[in-house]
Amino acid sequence: MSNKFKNKSKANIIEPKTKISWKEIKQQKVLLIWSAVIVVYGVIFYYLPLAGWLMAFQNYKPKDGLWHSQFIGFAKFQQLFSDITFIRTIRNTLAMGVINLIATFITAIVFAILLNEIASKGGKKVVQTISYLPHFLSWIIVTGILHDALSGSGIINEVLLKMNIIDQSINFFAHPGYFWPIVAFANVWKETGWNAIIYLAAITSIDPSLYEAASIDGAGRFAKIKYVTLPGIKPTIMILLLMNVGNVLNAGFEIQYLLGNGLVQSVSQTIDIYVLKWGISQSDYSIGTAAGIFKSLVSIVLIVIANQIAKRNGEERLF
Amino acid sequence: MTKKKRTMADRVFVVCNTVFMILFVIITLYPVLNTLAVSFNDGTDALRGGIYLWPRKWTMKNYVTVLQKNNLVTGAYISVLRTVIGTLLALVSNAILAFIVSRKRFLFKKQLSFFWVVTMYVNGGLIPTFLLYKNLGMTNSFSVYVIPGMISAFNMLVIRTYMNGIPDSLEESAQLDGAGYGTIFVKIISPLCKPVYATVALFVAVGQWNSWFDAMLYNRLDSKLTTLQYELMKLLSSVTNQGTSMEAMKNSGGNVTPTSVRAAATILTMLPIICLYPFLQRYFVTGMTLGGVKE
């Protein structure tokens, strides 16, 4: 009897809805009209550009348009991958993407944990408020600040000179070796406080009784961080890591474009800059599109891989 | 014994942590405060270096120069305009879309959600998008700032998550009273969504205020349509390539330099954000936890 009841209620959960009646559809008229408008917008601004991918397989000429340009198969992709500059942009994009991802991840987690250990509520609030500030500044402003700080007479050189670490000021923007670290530092400076928000929220939601139990067991501050706080925020760390893996290639434009110069272009140019340079400045739309498609495909592959890893480890999945 | 050891380690930790936080605050604030000091300092005097947190030779001339530069003033006007209009359009359209896909009994609920989630992962890329806007006649026009990014799947999902948390009974009882979906959206759901609306508005507004790439790509040729950030970028590159720096010196009477003018322009560009963000904190904290991370 009770079993039968259970089954029934289960069925109810699975299929609680009755079919949507014509009367209801009529009621939903306004929703349908708005949906139609929104779908038209979406098709134009998000789906129509996908048709432009055809250009990558054509010798696209603006005067011939998409319909009459000559198809050339994968020739543009071949041209792309035989271009050493393009191969270098792949390396630069991946390298900076990964370095930035790791650097911003670790600093945000460490910052969140350390901030959480601050006893004074007021002090915590003040530090946190200040830590958000750089996130709201544009890359234009941030690169301006970097130029000031790292210039020959800038504060960094001054401090290094005063501490006798160097005996003549370094021109940071002229040496390729400094570029990736500068980009990573700029990302850390800009986003640490902002990225920490979500970890702080996760730390706050850890059950306080876990800390009490750990105290009773004689755990000190470090043991509590290691055995309570870190495991508590592990799911958050995992999901954010996975979300950001798909974005690794997208993080390579603004700062590299604004900070790059002729002297460091072998390490500063990213795929997006390549697309801009060839596609827009040289008006070679086909090669620009091909490079863009390559980037999109790699991103999708990365997302799928990340999602599979998440699934295998039993973590929450993205989609 | 062990207890004493622990408190010792604890004390060392507290001291180190406090020092670390103070260093963190200094590294975060110093560049901004230094720019502020330079912006109030005499330009030629600043070239001698040694300006840290306080101006040595006070002047307002840098700010006067900025306010006399037509391109910066027009840029500021366009930036304000695009922030206000862009934010309003984005908020209304994302809210309507989120409302539709969060109606449990809507006919195409699943399909419409899917249609938008796809756009998060696949997009045409720079060149096809550029050509599309060109063909739509959106280059050299204000519309390119506010129309293309109007609906975004991410912002829609943030609002939808929030709306899903509102009990259905509110909608049902309103329907029994004869309210249509329009009324339910405006009178019942939207008032409850104020916090999430504020969050999304904040995200969009900051993005609008800070963007420069669209101005460079689409509206570079029309000086009446470029944004403040883009003009600031041009100022920055003129400082970096010292070549054009003489021009700025000439039209300002000698004691203003490109660096000092840029410092003043930077401060003015930061000002709205610095003044507003501490008061909006609680909104973006809810937003971050609601929808994951937005860059």
Side-chain angles (χ1 to χ4, degrees):
Chain A
M1 180 63 194
S2 73
N3 205 5
K4 201 176 166 190
F5 180 73
K6 231 185 200 166
N7 279 342
K8 202 179 166 190
S9 69
K10 204 174 174 188
N12 264 338
I13 291 165
I14 293 167
E15 229 174 323
K17 289 181 195 167
T18 44
K19 274 251 158 129
I20 296 171
S21 64
W22 277 109
K23 196 180 150 224
E24 250 186 303
I25 292 178
K26 236 176 165 178
Q27 246 179 10
Q28 291 180 355
K29 201 171 83 183
V30 60
L31 297 186
L32 290 166
I33 293 170
W34 276 107
S35 305
V37 174
I38 287 170
V39 166
V40 168
Y41 172 88
V43 166
I44 293 174
F45 286 98
Y46 287 95
Y47 286 83
L48 208 55
L50 291 175
W53 280 18
L54 278 177
M55 284 185 292
F57 306 96
Q58 291 176 333
N59 192 2
Y60 181 80
K61 296 252 159 52
K63 67 174 165 54
D64 296 335
L66 214 50
W67 301 119
H68 302 288
S69 287
Q70 178 203 359
F71 272 91
I72 50 169
F74 286 90
K76 286 287 171 185
F77 286 91
Q78 271 167 0
Q79 187 189 334
L80 206 55
F81 286 102
S82 54
D83 181 0
I84 181 72
T85 2
F86 182 67
I87 305 293
R88 221 179 268 145
T89 64
I90 300 176
R91 179 202 66 186
N92 296 342
T93 315
L94 273 176
M96 280 186 271
V98 171
I99 295 171
N100 292 345
L101 179 66
I102 295 171
T104 51
F105 241 81
I106 293 174
T107 49
I109 294 167
V110 170
F111 177 70
I113 290 173
L114 291 181
L115 190 64
N116 190 54
E117 297 294 324
I118 297 276
S120 128
K121 274 238 167 76
K124 209 171 174 176
K125 187 96 198 151
V126 170
V127 174
Q128 208 185 354
T129 305
I130 290 170
S131 75
Y132 302 145
L133 170 67
H135 172 79
F136 292 101
L137 304 179
S138 67
W139 276 116
I140 306 278
I141 291 178
V142 175
T143 48
I145 285 171
L146 278 171
H147 268 290
D148 287 346
L150 294 170
S151 69
S153 55
I155 184 82
I156 303 288
N157 270 315
E158 208 174 322
V159 169
L160 291 176
L161 283 170
K162 283 224 173 93
M163 289 167 75
N164 285 325
I165 296 173
I166 52 173
D167 38 55
Q168 116 186 53
S169 51
I170 302 172
N171 188 355
F172 287 99
F173 294 107
H175 293 288
Y178 291 120
F179 195 79
W180 293 355
I182 290 173
V183 169
F185 175 77
N187 273 292
V188 167
W189 185 78
K190 199 169 183 289
E191 305 297 346
T192 297
W194 181 254
N195 291 344
I197 292 178
I198 206 149
Y199 299 114
L200 281 164
I203 292 173
T204 333
S205 66
I206 295 173
D207 187 354
S209 64
L210 290 174
Y211 287 105
E212 283 159 29
S215 294
I216 292 166
D217 288 345
R221 197 189 283 267
F222 298 104
K224 276 191 226 167
I225 290 175
K226 193 173 165 195
Y227 297 110
V228 182
T229 311
L230 274 176
I233 60 174
K234 195 185 150 223
T236 314
I237 296 176
M238 287 306 287
I239 189 106
L240 286 183
L241 196 58
L242 294 172
M243 277 175 76
N244 284 310
V245 162
N247 268 328
V248 157
L249 296 185
N250 285 331
F253 179 68
E254 286 191 56
I255 183 174
Q256 288 88 345
Y257 180 82
L258 293 168
L259 273 189
N261 61 57
L263 294 168
V264 294
Q265 63 176 337
S266 63
V267 291
S268 72
Q269 285 209 337
T270 60
I271 298 177
D272 286 335
I273 295 175
Y274 186 91
V275 171
L276 187 69
K277 196 174 154 196
W278 286 98
I280 305 288
S281 310
Q282 309 283 337
S283 291
D284 188 341
Y285 297 133
S286 294
I287 200 96
T289 309
I293 291 176
F294 171 74
K295 198 190 108 182
S296 288
L297 291 182
V298 175
S299 284
I300 291 169
V301 169
L302 286 176
I303 291 168
V304 171
I305 292 174
N307 207 43
Q308 286 299 318
I309 294 173
K311 206 174 172 181
R312 195 162 302 161
N313 294 335
E315 301 286 350
E316 213 177 323
R317 271 176 305 144
L318 301 175
F319 51 85
Chain B
M1 177 76 184
T2 42
K3 202 173 179 192
K4 206 175 175 186
K5 214 168 145 194
R6 191 196 299 155
T7 48
M8 189 57 200
D10 227 41
R11 222 173 283 158
V12 171
F13 175 84
V14 169
V15 170
C16 288
N17 199 12
T18 313
V19 170
F20 172 80
M21 287 300 158
I22 291 170
L23 268 177
F24 181 90
V25 168
I26 290 174
I27 292 174
T28 308
L29 284 185
Y30 175 78
V32 176
L33 295 175
N34 178 249
T35 312
L36 188 64
V38 172
S39 77
F40 279 110
N41 197 80
D42 185 90
T44 14
D45 176 64
L47 290 178
R48 278 168 46 213
I51 310 276
Y52 302 105
L53 294 173
W54 205 250
R56 191 166 43 212
K57 212 171 154 188
W58 279 84
T59 178
M60 288 297 286
K61 251 198 170 144
N62 298 319
Y63 285 95
V64 174
T65 313
V66 167
L67 296 175
Q68 280 169 348
K69 279 183 179 260
N70 278 333
N71 57 343
L72 288 173
V73 176
T74 334
Y77 169 71
I78 294 291
S79 286
V80 170
L81 209 59
R82 71 175 286 180
T83 306
V84 172
I85 296 175
T87 308
L88 279 176
L89 280 177
L91 188 59
V92 171
S93 48
N94 281 311
I96 291 176
L97 176 57
F99 174 76
I100 295 173
V101 294
S102 62
R103 294 311 92 199
K104 302 224 161 37
R105 293 190 57 78
F106 176 56
L107 196 56
F108 299 115
K109 176 176 143 75
K110 279 212 178 108
Q111 291 86 338
L112 192 60
S113 286
F114 182 75
F115 177 87
W116 282 100
V117 170
V118 167
T119 65
M120 284 173 83
Y121 298 101
V122 189
N123 66 72
L126 182 69
I127 307 294
T129 310
F130 174 80
L131 291 177
L132 174 73
Y133 295 172
K134 218 172 158 182
N135 287 332
L136 289 175
M138 292 174 86
T139 47
N140 298 318
S141 87
F142 182 78
S143 63
V144 78
Y145 294 141
V146 293
I147 301 293
M150 205 164 73
I151 299 183
S152 96
F154 180 87
N155 290 333
M156 179 274 274
L157 289 176
V158 170
I159 303 178
R160 190 188 73 176
T161 313
Y162 197 89
M163 284 180 173
N164 279 339
I166 297 172
D168 298 337
S169 54
L170 286 175
E171 180 188 334
E172 283 157 18
S173 60
Q175 269 175 330
L176 287 180
D177 290 344
Y181 281 106
T183 321
I184 293 172
F185 173 64
V186 176
K187 294 244 168 85
I188 294 171
I189 304 295
S190 288
L192 292 171
C193 286
K194 270 182 199 151
V196 76
Y197 286 176
T199 306
V200 169
L202 180 75
F203 285 159
V204 177
V206 171
Q208 285 282 2
W209 181 255
N210 281 344
S211 65
W212 54 276
F213 184 61
D214 46 12
M216 182 179 93
L217 199 57
Y218 302 111
N219 289 344
R220 186 181 57 240
L221 300 174
D222 191 338
S223 62
K224 286 202 164 52
L225 283 172
T226 53
T227 63
L228 187 56
Q229 301 282 351
Y230 177 64
E231 292 301 328
L232 195 62
M233 186 193 97
K234 289 205 299 200
L235 216 52
L236 171 72
S237 46
S238 77
V239 175
T240 339
N241 330 319
Q242 291 292 336
T244 46
S245 57
M246 293 316 287
E247 170 238 0
M249 301 248 290
K250 250 186 274 160
N251 58 27
S252 57
N255 39 15
V256 177
T257 61
T259 317
S260 63
V261 171
R262 184 171 58 80
T266 305
I267 293 297
L268 288 177
T269 312
M270 280 183 199
L271 209 59
I273 284 174
I274 292 186
C275 292
L276 286 177
Y277 94 91
F279 303 102
L280 300 169
Q281 252 193 82
R282 65 193 172 108
Y283 293 121
F284 57 74
V285 173
T286 44
M288 285 286 283
T289 40
L290 214 57
V293 194
K294 165 141 181 145
E295 295 297 347

